[in-house]
Amino acid sequence: MLSSLTGSACRRSIFETERLVAMLRDMVDFDRLNSGQCRFTATAFDPETGEDVVFDSRDTQIAPEQVRASAALPVLLPPVQIGERWLVDGGISANLPLDPVFAEPPARPTLCLAVDLLPLRQRRPATLGEAASRTQDLVFAAQSRRTIVRWRDAYAGRQDLSVTLVRLAYTEQSAEIAGKAMDFSGSTVRERRDAGRQCAEGVIARLESGEPKIGLPGLHILEAGVFGAAPEYAPHHVMVGGQVFDVVHTNGLAEAEAGGTIGTDASYDAEQESPGSG
């Protein structure tokens, strides 16, 4: 890996993504995506100006290039030219890009599923490799926490909207290596895909059973701890139907048939509690 970084001076990244364009055109119906039936939004980042860039199907014609740009993690993947700008992964600036969705409060009850691939809470690193891995976690996970807290505060007391934010966190990463951000080996991708599928299927099953309830006034933030988070890192947790949902914040009351009232005005800052304090 290090030899790749110190190779040709003309090389922009470890991997190239030209073939991704053909794959996206083959797998995605971009005409339908741009028809307005469903809003699509992706974010990127301009490394020259330090500005966030938003691609929204409401006012932008979405193409494979925008998708590539939104995932162009520097060093790993090359920047993508859109117009006069060269853009990279928007996660550099906003790893959990809620702003394009929450800036205009939805008019109808909304369920937002936020997938967070890097954990905020983990055990103390014991080795150099674990410390390197943990640093990657915190660079991005701390962004996500601040974003959620900011919108929690912005929506506080609002009874004219109904938003349920379910955060799906990939916390069981014992098999990941220190350079996991650059590890796209076949076995690793399969393991991540399987973990994500298991998590998504569990949440979908919960939603189909009516849990959590959607449509309550205000902003309700829940954490789906189904990626293997240890109980001591899951404060305010409730087990319903084989899944853990941690009530992190709610402006009102969140109810679950198997658990009754499970939270009132709890703070999302519980994420910052030390292991064992929750």
Side-chain angles (χ1 to χ4, degrees):
M1 184 68 73
L2 290 177
S3 61
S4 299
L5 298 177
T6 57
S8 171
C10 297
R11 191 167 185 172
R12 300 176 301 168
S13 61
I14 296 175
F15 301 112
E16 294 294 336
T17 56
E18 282 81 1
R19 288 190 292 176
L20 181 59
V21 175
M23 185 182 76
L24 286 169
R25 292 194 183 281
D26 182 56
M27 300 182 67
V28 178
D29 186 341
F30 282 93
D31 290 335
R32 183 177 181 184
L33 187 66
N34 289 295
S35 68
Q37 298 178 42
C38 180
R39 179 183 175 189
F40 174 86
T41 305
T43 62
F45 183 71
D46 187 331
E48 292 186 286
T49 66
E51 295 177 318
D52 295 317
V53 179
V54 178
F55 303 116
D56 194 322
S57 60
R58 296 188 303 179
D59 51 36
T60 302
Q61 192 75 9
I62 303 299
E65 286 71 22
Q66 280 90 350
V67 179
R68 284 178 63 211
S70 72
L73 185 64
V75 179
L76 186 68
L77 303 174
V80 177
Q81 185 174 12
I82 305 290
E84 298 298 319
R85 311 173 89 170
W86 287 89
L87 304 176
V88 298
D89 191 334
I92 295 297
S93 171
N95 194 48
L96 187 60
L98 296 178
D99 293 12
V101 178
F102 283 14
E104 300 177 18
R108 60 183 181 179
T110 300
L111 169 67
C112 180
L113 301 179
V115 179
D116 212 346
L117 299 181
L118 296 168
L120 185 61
R121 296 189 302 267
Q122 282 289 323
R123 293 175 177 82
R124 181 182 304 166
T127 66
L128 182 61
E130 290 179 1
S133 179
R134 191 71 187 114
T135 299
Q136 295 174 74
D137 294 343
L138 294 173
V139 165
F140 294 101
Q143 287 186 36
S144 300
R145 178 182 58 79
R146 286 193 295 269
T147 298
I148 293 176
V149 168
R150 177 162 52 84
W151 283 110
R152 177 203 67 187
D153 294 344
Y155 278 10
R158 295 282 298 269
Q159 299 297 303
D160 59 329
L161 52 82
S162 176
V163 179
T164 300
L165 173 65
V166 178
R167 177 175 172 266
L168 291 72
Y170 177 31
T171 57
E172 178 46 65
Q173 302 199 13
S174 58
E176 296 280 0
I177 62 174
K180 58 188 174 184
M182 298 183 184
D183 180 12
F184 278 72
S185 61
S187 60
T188 299
V189 170
R190 283 191 296 272
E191 289 173 2
R192 293 170 179 167
R193 180 194 61 200
D194 292 344
R197 179 185 293 274
Q198 179 184 2
C199 181
E201 289 176 345
V203 171
I204 290 172
R206 288 288 306 281
L207 293 171
E208 290 177 341
S209 70
E211 303 167 356
K213 287 179 169 56
I214 308 300
L216 298 174
L219 172 62
H220 304 271
I221 303 171
L222 307 175
E223 180 168 328
V226 295
F227 271 23
E232 61 267 30
Y233 296 101
H236 311 110
H237 69 274
V238 60
M239 177 70 76
V240 181
Q243 303 255 140
V244 174
F245 264 76
D246 302 324
V247 173
V248 188
H249 173 82
T250 173
N251 288 331
L253 293 178
E255 299 283 338
E257 292 180 4
T261 300
I262 53 177
T264 306
D265 294 320
S267 171
Y268 188 78
D269 293 334
E271 285 274 17
Q272 302 177 72
E273 295 181 1
S274 60
S277 65

